[in-house]
Amino acid sequence: SNLPQSIGEEVMSRGKSTVKSSSYAEYTMPGTVNGKSGTYEIGVRPSASGRNETITHWFFRPDKQ
């Protein structure tokens, strides 16, 4: 996705975190892109130490009309 880094930082610091499995978590936060409401989604894979995360999924999902 072509979202600014600042959006990603906000989603990861203020969004809801959901652990999907031991190797995948997802951050979500409602937002607006080009006047369309929806949800930012950032999927991450934690490092072995748990101190770092690698982004594997970065997406804005518009609400259904």
Side-chain angles (χ1 to χ4, degrees):
S1 184
N2 195 19
L3 301 172
Q5 183 65 33
S6 61
I7 295 291
E9 291 169 1
E10 184 175 359
V11 172
M12 291 180 74
S13 67
R14 296 183 50 216
K16 178 183 174 190
S17 175
T18 304
V19 175
K20 301 286 188 171
S21 72
S22 62
S23 62
Y24 186 78
E26 187 173 75
Y27 293 90
T28 57
M29 189 174 88
T32 304
V33 171
N34 296 330
K36 296 191 185 253
S37 297
T39 303
Y40 293 103
E41 299 176 0
I42 298 178
V44 298
R45 184 180 67 239
S47 66
S49 69
R51 292 188 197 126
N52 299 307
E53 297 172 318
T54 300
I55 295 174
T56 60
H57 171 83
W58 178 294
F59 191 72
F60 180 78
R61 187 175 307 280
D63 292 338
K64 293 182 180 178
Q65 299 295 341

